[in-house]
Amino acid sequence: MEEAFLHARRSTCERGQVGAVAILGGRVISSGYNGSLPGQKECDQHCDLTEKCTRTLHAEGNLIAYAAKKGLSIEGATLYITLSPCSECAKLIAQAGIRTVIYEEKYRTTTGLVTLKELGVGVVQYIRKG
């Protein structure tokens, strides 16, 4: 989980920093954080935080896209993420074959968690010690 916290710090999103790491066989297979797409300007103080963000990709989406781009299978992996997935990311996670999602904080809606459970993906909330 510490790796996910570390990746979250790379995000430039003013709305919130989210990091994700996929682990398979005890090794990091892919990682991601929420942010703008390559070639786009990074998020900055000019973003309208009262509106839905249209510039960034969620950490899970970045992680899955990177794995696909590099030809890395994440099927059967465990996903560690700092914020529970939204409903759209939950669908991507299940479709990618990720077996378990471990998250720290709940997203503003829990529909993603419900979707994961319905699709047979294990869901565990991480409780930070200390």
Side-chain angles (χ1 to χ4, degrees), residues 23 33-34 40-41 51 54 58 65 91-94 102-103:
I23 305 291
Y33 56 92
N34 61 323
Q40 276 190 326
K41 290 182 181 178
E51 297 291 324
T54 58
H58 289 183
K91 292 182 229 176
L92 289 173
I93 289 165
I102 300 173
Y103 68 94

Side-chain angles (χ1 to χ4, degrees), residues 10-127:
R10 297 192 68 197
S11 172
T12 59
C13 182
E14 297 284 322
R15 193 177 303 270
Q17 296 180 309
V18 180
V21 178
I23 305 291
L24 187 62
R27 297 193 176 271
V28 174
I29 301 301
S30 186
S31 61
Y33 56 92
N34 61 323
S36 53
L37 299 171
Q40 276 190 326
K41 290 182 181 178
E42 292 291 335
C43 300
D44 57 22
Q45 301 85 356
H46 303 293
C47 290
D48 184 353
L49 300 179
T50 64
E51 297 291 324
K52 181 179 179 186
C53 181
T54 58
R55 295 176 41 117
T56 64
L57 188 60
H58 289 183
E60 307 93 308
N62 268 322
L63 177 147
I64 292 166
Y66 178 81
K69 184 174 166 180
K70 297 298 181 179
L72 302 169
S73 174
I74 55 177
E75 186 172 8
T78 297
L79 175 65
Y80 290 84
I81 187 159
T82 59
L83 185 66
S84 67
C86 70
S87 59
E88 291 302 310
C89 287
K91 292 182 229 176
L92 289 173
I93 289 165
Q95 184 65 18
I98 291 171
R99 185 178 302 151
T100 306
V101 173
I102 300 173
Y103 68 94
E104 182 190 40
E105 186 181 335
K106 283 187 181 171
Y107 186 59
R108 66 179 173 261
T109 65
T110 57
T111 54
L113 295 174
V114 171
T115 299
L116 289 172
K117 290 174 187 175
E118 287 174 351
L119 295 172
V121 177
V123 175
V124 178
Q125 186 168 18
Y126 174 82
I127 308 297

